[in-house]
Amino acid sequence: MPALWHLARTSDWEKAAADGHYAMSTRGRTVDEVGFVHASFDLEQVGRVAAAVYADVVEPLTLLAVDPDVLADAGIEVRAEVGDAADPAQERYPHLYGGRVPAAAVVAALPARMAGGQLQVDEPADVLRAAMDVREAAYGLVADDAGRTLLARLTGGPDDGLWTLPGGGLEGDETPEEAVVREVREETGLDVERDGKVGVDVIVITARERVSRGVGPIAGVRHLYRARVTGGALRPEADGSTDLAAWHAPEEVERLCCVELVDVGLRLLARTAPSRPGA
């Protein structure tokens, strides 16, 4: 399981780092009061929690990446539960049962703040590099006039045959803005122009889950850009990590076997879509 996320007041986290354990469950309530610690599976969930619980907070916040393997070693159980037991169809969040969370389970602490009711985490890659290895990548959310999404099919490795957004890791001194244009061209044959950044997604792979054992956790920082086609011709990548590129209608995307990044990217795209005049 990748690292879990928990949003904390910076003052609460600083106290936890000094005491050796984190005693809060959520804003203003301790784990002793609630019975568990609220957490999130991904940054999308964190954002929704922040908007609902921390929207009016002006003090500094800290986004904690928590290693579930360290939690297990400490006897803390992770349960995926809905917020309201009377509505089992609700989205599930991880709840941490077993008492206070050892500070050692926190593998990264990212400075955060609320701005306009939304959570802001500035330059997460720079902060994460101080704590672990970081792989930065850039991906394109490319749509045509018919509303179809451009996807590439992965080949080889554990995700063989799954569809993903066209993109990949930064090379050398390349910026994410440069990388997304290059990667889309390499994987699909199409030239694109960026049309705004829709967000950054971060996934932390724990030391035990990482393929290269014994080298600590690694963070994948994924920059996601809206882009439009300006030229080129659709074709598969030659001798790369993908073997097919294709346009897919929304209903087709729902039926495809995709990596989770596709869903993350499309949700971010919908959230940041420019409003239309008169809408």
Side-chain angles (χ1 to χ4, degrees), residues 227-264:
R228 61 183 183 88
V229 175
T230 59
L234 188 65
R235 51 96 179 128
E237 183 179 16
D239 300 321
S241 60
T242 65
D243 63 359
L244 184 62
W247 294 100
H248 295 280
E251 61 273 15
E252 294 173 339
V253 175
E254 292 179 2
R255 294 193 298 265
L256 287 175
C257 294
C258 300
V259 298
E260 50 83 31
L261 180 63
V262 174
D263 190 37
V264 170

mmCIF file of all heavy atoms in Angstrom, residues 227-264:
data_model
loop_
_atom_site.group_PDB
_atom_site.id
_atom_site.type_symbol
_atom_site.label_atom_id
_atom_site.label_comp_id
_atom_site.label_asym_id
_atom_site.label_seq_id
_atom_site.Cartn_x
_atom_site.Cartn_y
_atom_site.Cartn_z
ATOM 1 N N ALA A 227 -3.584 19.969 -22.653
ATOM 2 C CA ALA A 227 -2.841 20.247 -23.885
ATOM 3 C C ALA A 227 -3.735 20.038 -25.091
ATOM 4 O O ALA A 227 -4.714 19.284 -25.038
ATOM 5 C CB ALA A 227 -1.603 19.343 -23.972
ATOM 6 N N ARG A 228 -3.380 20.684 -26.187
ATOM 7 C CA ARG A 228 -4.138 20.528 -27.432
ATOM 8 C C ARG A 228 -3.181 20.183 -28.562
ATOM 9 O O ARG A 228 -2.017 20.602 -28.566
ATOM 10 C CB ARG A 228 -4.921 21.793 -27.760
ATOM 11 C CG ARG A 228 -4.074 23.036 -27.977
ATOM 12 C CD ARG A 228 -4.953 24.247 -28.236
ATOM 13 N NE ARG A 228 -4.141 25.435 -28.526
ATOM 14 C CZ ARG A 228 -3.724 25.747 -29.746
ATOM 15 N NH1 ARG A 228 -4.031 24.964 -30.774
ATOM 16 N NH2 ARG A 228 -3.001 26.832 -29.944
ATOM 17 N N VAL A 229 -3.673 19.444 -29.531
ATOM 18 C CA VAL A 229 -2.862 18.983 -30.651
ATOM 19 C C VAL A 229 -2.636 20.127 -31.631
ATOM 20 O O VAL A 229 -3.583 20.845 -32.006
ATOM 21 C CB VAL A 229 -3.529 17.794 -31.365
ATOM 22 C CG1 VAL A 229 -2.741 17.395 -32.607
ATOM 23 C CG2 VAL A 229 -3.662 16.614 -30.411
ATOM 24 N N THR A 230 -1.397 20.294 -32.053
ATOM 25 C CA THR A 230 -1.054 21.310 -33.048
ATOM 26 C C THR A 230 -0.491 20.714 -34.332
ATOM 27 O O THR A 230 -0.314 21.426 -35.319
ATOM 28 C CB THR A 230 -0.021 22.295 -32.468
ATOM 29 O OG1 THR A 230 1.162 21.568 -32.082
ATOM 30 C CG2 THR A 230 -0.582 23.030 -31.259
ATOM 31 N N GLY A 231 -0.195 19.413 -34.347
ATOM 32 C CA GLY A 231 0.366 18.800 -35.542
ATOM 33 C C GLY A 231 0.757 17.357 -35.279
ATOM 34 O O GLY A 231 0.448 16.783 -34.240
ATOM 35 N N GLY A 232 1.466 16.776 -36.245
ATOM 36 C CA GLY A 232 1.899 15.398 -36.131
ATOM 37 C C GLY A 232 0.847 14.421 -36.614
ATOM 38 O O GLY A 232 -0.231 14.810 -37.078
ATOM 39 N N ALA A 233 1.154 13.141 -36.506
ATOM 40 C CA ALA A 233 0.238 12.076 -36.924
ATOM 41 C C ALA A 233 0.263 10.982 -35.878
ATOM 42 O O ALA A 233 1.330 10.589 -35.393
ATOM 43 C CB ALA A 233 0.644 11.525 -38.289
ATOM 44 N N LEU A 234 -0.919 10.487 -35.511
ATOM 45 C CA LEU A 234 -1.023 9.475 -34.463
ATOM 46 C C LEU A 234 -0.311 8.192 -34.886
ATOM 47 O O LEU A 234 -0.546 7.656 -35.966
ATOM 48 C CB LEU A 234 -2.492 9.177 -34.172
ATOM 49 C CG LEU A 234 -2.786 8.277 -32.974
ATOM 50 C CD1 LEU A 234 -2.358 8.954 -31.683
ATOM 51 C CD2 LEU A 234 -4.271 7.928 -32.923
ATOM 52 N N ARG A 235 0.549 7.692 -34.016
ATOM 53 C CA ARG A 235 1.265 6.432 -34.268
ATOM 54 C C ARG A 235 1.746 5.891 -32.934
ATOM 55 O O ARG A 235 1.867 6.607 -31.943
ATOM 56 C CB ARG A 235 2.429 6.654 -35.241
ATOM 57 C CG ARG A 235 3.372 7.805 -34.868
ATOM 58 C CD ARG A 235 4.577 7.304 -34.117
ATOM 59 N NE ARG A 235 5.494 8.384 -33.763
ATOM 60 C CZ ARG A 235 5.939 8.591 -32.543
ATOM 61 N NH1 ARG A 235 5.542 7.823 -31.548
ATOM 62 N NH2 ARG A 235 6.802 9.576 -32.280
ATOM 63 N N PRO A 236 2.047 4.581 -32.839
ATOM 64 C CA PRO A 236 2.553 4.005 -31.586
ATOM 65 C C PRO A 236 4.012 4.357 -31.357
ATOM 66 O O PRO A 236 4.748 4.664 -32.295
ATOM 67 C CB PRO A 236 2.363 2.498 -31.798
ATOM 68 C CG PRO A 236 2.448 2.322 -33.280
ATOM 69 C CD PRO A 236 1.825 3.556 -33.884
ATOM 70 N N GLU A 237 4.418 4.296 -30.114
ATOM 71 C CA GLU A 237 5.809 4.519 -29.751
ATOM 72 C C GLU A 237 6.654 3.327 -30.200
ATOM 73 O O GLU A 237 6.212 2.182 -30.130
ATOM 74 C CB GLU A 237 5.923 4.703 -28.235
ATOM 75 C CG GLU A 237 7.316 5.014 -27.729
ATOM 76 C CD GLU A 237 7.354 5.209 -26.223
ATOM 77 O OE1 GLU A 237 6.377 4.801 -25.555
ATOM 78 O OE2 GLU A 237 8.341 5.769 -25.720
ATOM 79 N N ALA A 238 7.860 3.603 -30.638
ATOM 80 C CA ALA A 238 8.769 2.537 -31.070
ATOM 81 C C ALA A 238 9.744 2.205 -29.949
ATOM 82 O O ALA A 238 10.460 3.073 -29.452
ATOM 83 C CB ALA A 238 9.542 2.969 -32.311
ATOM 84 N N ASP A 239 9.739 0.937 -29.520
ATOM 85 C CA ASP A 239 10.698 0.452 -28.520
ATOM 86 C C ASP A 239 10.688 1.291 -27.244
ATOM 87 O O ASP A 239 11.730 1.669 -26.715
ATOM 88 C CB ASP A 239 12.116 0.430 -29.111
ATOM 89 C CG ASP A 239 12.216 -0.475 -30.329
ATOM 90 O OD1 ASP A 239 11.587 -1.539 -30.310
ATOM 91 O OD2 ASP A 239 12.901 -0.091 -31.301
ATOM 92 N N GLY A 240 9.504 1.588 -26.745
ATOM 93 C CA GLY A 240 9.391 2.381 -25.527
ATOM 94 C C GLY A 240 8.563 1.685 -24.475
ATOM 95 O O GLY A 240 8.360 0.464 -24.507
ATOM 96 N N SER A 241 8.034 2.460 -23.563
ATOM 97 C CA SER A 241 7.237 1.904 -22.474
ATOM 98 C C SER A 241 5.779 1.708 -22.856
ATOM 99 O O SER A 241 5.010 1.126 -22.094
ATOM 100 C CB SER A 241 7.329 2.820 -21.246
ATOM 101 O OG SER A 241 6.844 4.118 -21.572
ATOM 102 N N THR A 242 5.377 2.213 -24.045
ATOM 103 C CA THR A 242 4.019 2.016 -24.536
ATOM 104 C C THR A 242 4.075 1.417 -25.941
ATOM 105 O O THR A 242 5.077 1.556 -26.653
ATOM 106 C CB THR A 242 3.223 3.335 -24.573
ATOM 107 O OG1 THR A 242 3.825 4.231 -25.528
ATOM 108 C CG2 THR A 242 3.223 4.004 -23.203
ATOM 109 N N ASP A 243 2.988 0.752 -26.335
ATOM 110 C CA ASP A 243 2.984 0.122 -27.663
ATOM 111 C C ASP A 243 1.787 0.514 -28.509
ATOM 112 O O ASP A 243 1.625 0.016 -29.626
ATOM 113 C CB ASP A 243 3.049 -1.400 -27.533
ATOM 114 C CG ASP A 243 1.829 -1.996 -26.820
ATOM 115 O OD1 ASP A 243 0.938 -1.219 -26.408
ATOM 116 O OD2 ASP A 243 1.770 -3.228 -26.682
ATOM 117 N N LEU A 244 0.926 1.393 -28.007
ATOM 118 C CA LEU A 244 -0.247 1.803 -28.772
ATOM 119 C C LEU A 244 -0.740 3.135 -28.227
ATOM 120 O O LEU A 244 -0.742 3.364 -27.020
ATOM 121 C CB LEU A 244 -1.354 0.748 -28.659
ATOM 122 C CG LEU A 244 -2.625 0.981 -29.486
ATOM 123 C CD1 LEU A 244 -2.308 0.992 -30.980
ATOM 124 C CD2 LEU A 244 -3.664 -0.092 -29.179
ATOM 125 N N ALA A 245 -1.165 4.007 -29.127
ATOM 126 C CA ALA A 245 -1.779 5.276 -28.753
ATOM 127 C C ALA A 245 -3.115 5.382 -29.470
ATOM 128 O O ALA A 245 -3.223 5.019 -30.653
ATOM 129 C CB ALA A 245 -0.881 6.445 -29.125
ATOM 130 N N ALA A 246 -4.148 5.856 -28.781
ATOM 131 C CA ALA A 246 -5.473 5.901 -29.389
ATOM 132 C C ALA A 246 -6.343 6.935 -28.683
ATOM 133 O O ALA A 246 -6.115 7.265 -27.511
ATOM 134 C CB ALA A 246 -6.135 4.524 -29.332
ATOM 135 N N TRP A 247 -7.351 7.415 -29.424
ATOM 136 C CA TRP A 247 -8.364 8.298 -28.855
ATOM 137 C C TRP A 247 -9.515 7.447 -28.307
ATOM 138 O O TRP A 247 -9.913 6.463 -28.925
ATOM 139 C CB TRP A 247 -8.915 9.230 -29.936
ATOM 140 C CG TRP A 247 -7.921 10.206 -30.487
ATOM 141 C CD1 TRP A 247 -7.234 10.112 -31.660
ATOM 142 C CD2 TRP A 247 -7.524 11.439 -29.893
ATOM 143 N NE1 TRP A 247 -6.428 11.199 -31.837
ATOM 144 C CE2 TRP A 247 -6.583 12.053 -30.761
ATOM 145 C CE3 TRP A 247 -7.865 12.105 -28.704
ATOM 146 C CZ2 TRP A 247 -5.981 13.270 -30.496
ATOM 147 C CZ3 TRP A 247 -7.268 13.327 -28.430
ATOM 148 C CH2 TRP A 247 -6.340 13.905 -29.309
ATOM 149 N N HIS A 248 -10.043 7.864 -27.155
ATOM 150 C CA HIS A 248 -11.132 7.107 -26.538
ATOM 151 C C HIS A 248 -12.226 8.060 -26.073
ATOM 152 O O HIS A 248 -11.955 9.061 -25.403
ATOM 153 C CB HIS A 248 -10.626 6.312 -25.336
ATOM 154 C CG HIS A 248 -9.638 5.248 -25.690
ATOM 155 N ND1 HIS A 248 -10.006 4.025 -26.188
ATOM 156 C CD2 HIS A 248 -8.280 5.247 -25.630
ATOM 157 C CE1 HIS A 248 -8.921 3.296 -26.408
ATOM 158 N NE2 HIS A 248 -7.869 4.012 -26.085
ATOM 159 N N ALA A 249 -13.469 7.714 -26.423
ATOM 160 C CA ALA A 249 -14.616 8.477 -25.944
ATOM 161 C C ALA A 249 -14.781 8.264 -24.444
ATOM 162 O O ALA A 249 -14.305 7.262 -23.899
ATOM 163 C CB ALA A 249 -15.876 8.028 -26.690
ATOM 164 N N PRO A 250 -15.462 9.200 -23.754
ATOM 165 C CA PRO A 250 -15.615 9.072 -22.291
ATOM 166 C C PRO A 250 -16.175 7.727 -21.847
ATOM 167 O O PRO A 250 -15.695 7.138 -20.871
ATOM 168 C CB PRO A 250 -16.573 10.216 -21.940
ATOM 169 C CG PRO A 250 -16.320 11.241 -22.998
ATOM 170 C CD PRO A 250 -16.044 10.467 -24.248
ATOM 171 N N GLU A 251 -17.183 7.212 -22.560
ATOM 172 C CA GLU A 251 -17.759 5.933 -22.154
ATOM 173 C C GLU A 251 -16.780 4.783 -22.377
ATOM 174 O O GLU A 251 -16.821 3.776 -21.668
ATOM 175 C CB GLU A 251 -19.066 5.661 -22.902
ATOM 176 C CG GLU A 251 -18.936 5.563 -24.418
ATOM 177 C CD GLU A 251 -19.046 6.902 -25.120
ATOM 178 O OE1 GLU A 251 -18.938 7.947 -24.428
ATOM 179 O OE2 GLU A 251 -19.252 6.887 -26.350
ATOM 180 N N GLU A 252 -15.876 4.929 -23.340
ATOM 181 C CA GLU A 252 -14.861 3.904 -23.574
ATOM 182 C C GLU A 252 -13.815 3.923 -22.457
ATOM 183 O O GLU A 252 -13.357 2.866 -22.007
ATOM 184 C CB GLU A 252 -14.192 4.119 -24.925
ATOM 185 C CG GLU A 252 -15.113 3.933 -26.117
ATOM 186 C CD GLU A 252 -14.461 4.330 -27.438
ATOM 187 O OE1 GLU A 252 -13.477 5.099 -27.414
ATOM 188 O OE2 GLU A 252 -14.946 3.879 -28.475
ATOM 189 N N VAL A 253 -13.438 5.126 -22.024
ATOM 190 C CA VAL A 253 -12.450 5.247 -20.948
ATOM 191 C C VAL A 253 -12.960 4.553 -19.692
ATOM 192 O O VAL A 253 -12.202 3.890 -18.977
ATOM 193 C CB VAL A 253 -12.138 6.732 -20.654
ATOM 194 C CG1 VAL A 253 -11.209 6.858 -19.445
ATOM 195 C CG2 VAL A 253 -11.494 7.391 -21.873
ATOM 196 N N GLU A 254 -14.253 4.686 -19.420
ATOM 197 C CA GLU A 254 -14.831 4.050 -18.230
ATOM 198 C C GLU A 254 -14.711 2.535 -18.277
ATOM 199 O O GLU A 254 -14.622 1.884 -17.238
ATOM 200 C CB GLU A 254 -16.297 4.459 -18.089
ATOM 201 C CG GLU A 254 -16.502 5.933 -17.755
ATOM 202 C CD GLU A 254 -17.968 6.295 -17.638
ATOM 203 O OE1 GLU A 254 -18.816 5.379 -17.787
ATOM 204 O OE2 GLU A 254 -18.271 7.474 -17.392
ATOM 205 N N ARG A 255 -14.711 1.964 -19.495
ATOM 206 C CA ARG A 255 -14.648 0.511 -19.625
ATOM 207 C C ARG A 255 -13.223 -0.021 -19.732
ATOM 208 O O ARG A 255 -12.989 -1.211 -19.546
ATOM 209 C CB ARG A 255 -15.435 0.064 -20.863
ATOM 210 C CG ARG A 255 -16.928 0.319 -20.775
ATOM 211 C CD ARG A 255 -17.671 -0.433 -21.868
ATOM 212 N NE ARG A 255 -17.274 0.005 -23.201
ATOM 213 C CZ ARG A 255 -17.921 0.920 -23.913
ATOM 214 N NH1 ARG A 255 -18.990 1.513 -23.399
ATOM 215 N NH2 ARG A 255 -17.514 1.247 -25.117
ATOM 216 N N LEU A 256 -12.281 0.854 -20.041
ATOM 217 C CA LEU A 256 -10.900 0.421 -20.222
ATOM 218 C C LEU A 256 -10.248 0.055 -18.889
ATOM 219 O O LEU A 256 -10.640 0.549 -17.825
ATOM 220 C CB LEU A 256 -10.071 1.534 -20.873
ATOM 221 C CG LEU A 256 -10.295 1.821 -22.357
ATOM 222 C CD1 LEU A 256 -9.470 3.039 -22.762
ATOM 223 C CD2 LEU A 256 -9.913 0.624 -23.210
ATOM 224 N N CYS A 257 -9.237 -0.797 -18.964
ATOM 225 C CA CYS A 257 -8.393 -1.060 -17.804
ATOM 226 C C CYS A 257 -7.272 -0.020 -17.804
ATOM 227 O O CYS A 257 -6.389 -0.051 -18.667
ATOM 228 C CB CYS A 257 -7.810 -2.475 -17.878
ATOM 229 S SG CYS A 257 -9.047 -3.775 -17.745
ATOM 230 N N CYS A 258 -7.341 0.898 -16.865
ATOM 231 C CA CYS A 258 -6.406 2.027 -16.832
ATOM 232 C C CYS A 258 -5.662 2.072 -15.501
ATOM 233 O O CYS A 258 -6.161 1.586 -14.480
ATOM 234 C CB CYS A 258 -7.147 3.358 -17.014
ATOM 235 S SG CYS A 258 -8.054 3.535 -18.565
ATOM 236 N N VAL A 259 -4.495 2.685 -15.508
ATOM 237 C CA VAL A 259 -3.804 2.978 -14.257
ATOM 238 C C VAL A 259 -4.559 4.095 -13.553
ATOM 239 O O VAL A 259 -5.311 4.858 -14.182
ATOM 240 C CB VAL A 259 -2.333 3.379 -14.505
ATOM 241 C CG1 VAL A 259 -1.556 2.246 -15.148
ATOM 242 C CG2 VAL A 259 -2.242 4.631 -15.367
ATOM 243 N N GLU A 260 -4.380 4.206 -12.245
ATOM 244 C CA GLU A 260 -5.153 5.169 -11.469
ATOM 245 C C GLU A 260 -4.883 6.604 -11.886
ATOM 246 O O GLU A 260 -5.711 7.498 -11.662
ATOM 247 C CB GLU A 260 -4.890 4.980 -9.970
ATOM 248 C CG GLU A 260 -3.421 4.912 -9.568
ATOM 249 C CD GLU A 260 -2.773 6.262 -9.406
ATOM 250 O OE1 GLU A 260 -3.488 7.204 -9.032
ATOM 251 O OE2 GLU A 260 -1.557 6.365 -9.651
ATOM 252 N N LEU A 261 -3.747 6.867 -12.530
ATOM 253 C CA LEU A 261 -3.418 8.228 -12.947
ATOM 254 C C LEU A 261 -4.448 8.789 -13.919
ATOM 255 O O LEU A 261 -4.706 9.999 -13.917
ATOM 256 C CB LEU A 261 -2.027 8.250 -13.591
ATOM 257 C CG LEU A 261 -1.537 9.611 -14.090
ATOM 258 C CD1 LEU A 261 -1.397 10.592 -12.936
ATOM 259 C CD2 LEU A 261 -0.217 9.470 -14.838
ATOM 260 N N VAL A 262 -5.054 7.938 -14.744
ATOM 261 C CA VAL A 262 -6.060 8.410 -15.694
ATOM 262 C C VAL A 262 -7.241 9.015 -14.947
ATOM 263 O O VAL A 262 -7.697 10.120 -15.259
ATOM 264 C CB VAL A 262 -6.514 7.262 -16.615
ATOM 265 C CG1 VAL A 262 -7.670 7.725 -17.510
ATOM 266 C CG2 VAL A 262 -5.349 6.773 -17.469
ATOM 267 N N ASP A 263 -7.730 8.321 -13.941
ATOM 268 C CA ASP A 263 -8.859 8.815 -13.164
ATOM 269 C C ASP A 263 -8.486 10.088 -12.412
ATOM 270 O O ASP A 263 -9.253 11.051 -12.373
ATOM 271 C CB ASP A 263 -9.322 7.729 -12.186
ATOM 272 C CG ASP A 263 -10.637 8.083 -11.514
ATOM 273 O OD1 ASP A 263 -11.505 8.664 -12.173
ATOM 274 O OD2 ASP A 263 -10.794 7.789 -10.314
ATOM 275 N N VAL A 264 -7.284 10.102 -11.830
ATOM 276 C CA VAL A 264 -6.825 11.297 -11.117
ATOM 277 C C VAL A 264 -6.776 12.492 -12.056
ATOM 278 O O VAL A 264 -7.264 13.583 -11.751
ATOM 279 C CB VAL A 264 -5.434 11.048 -10.498
ATOM 280 C CG1 VAL A 264 -4.834 12.354 -9.978
ATOM 281 C CG2 VAL A 264 -5.523 10.032 -9.364
#
